[in-house]
Amino acid sequence: QRPVKLEAANGLKNLKFAIALPRGDNPTSAGPDFYINMRDNPELDQKAGDPRSGFAVFGQVTEASRAVLQAINDTAVGGGYGPFPTTSPAQPILIRRITVVGDPARPAAAARPAAATAKPAPARPAPPARRQ
């Protein structure tokens, strides 16, 4: 897999419930991982005049999913496994499904993006019923 080009200057900000790409010291080192901001994190946005700074936001958690995400965030930690044993969940959490709803809204200059302004995904036909 190839690293992802830094696209932190896309107009989207690291605000609460924004989904973004983590990366290493190299601005083009992002891979298939993502993180979700659980608070506003302006320090993660691209700095004016520094095209090698910032973390690219590419999505937003929908209003309907925010309670689930908050419940995950509120889960007790100290599970003792993984690369961060003291901050891993006490019980493993499995995300079984993520649905892409549409492209994130492009904010006007200095405007806060809102999930309510995202374009809805085109309607898809229902899958055929399975035989038992």
Side-chain angles (χ1 to χ4, degrees), residues 57-68:
V57 173
F58 67 89
Q60 183 80 14
V61 175
T62 63
E63 190 76 35
S65 299
R66 292 177 182 182
V68 172

Side-chain angles (χ1 to χ4, degrees), residues 89-109:
Q91 296 294 318
I93 296 171
L94 175 64
I95 298 174
R96 295 178 187 223
R97 182 179 62 200
I98 294 176
T99 303
V100 176
V101 176
D103 292 333
R106 298 285 177 190

Side-chain angles (χ1 to χ4, degrees), residues 1-5 20-24 27-34 58:
Q1 81 200 20
R2 295 187 324 225
V4 178
K5 176 185 169 194
L21 292 174
R23 61 175 180 79
T28 60
S29 63
D33 300 325
F34 66 92
F58 67 89

Side-chain angles (χ1 to χ4, degrees), residues 73 83 86 92 101:
N73 192 61
T86 61
V101 176

Side-chain angles (χ1 to χ4, degrees), residues 17 38 65-76 93:
F17 297 119
M38 292 306 296
S65 299
R66 292 177 182 182
V68 172
L69 188 62
Q70 191 64 55
I72 291 171
N73 192 61
D74 294 342
T75 300
I93 296 171

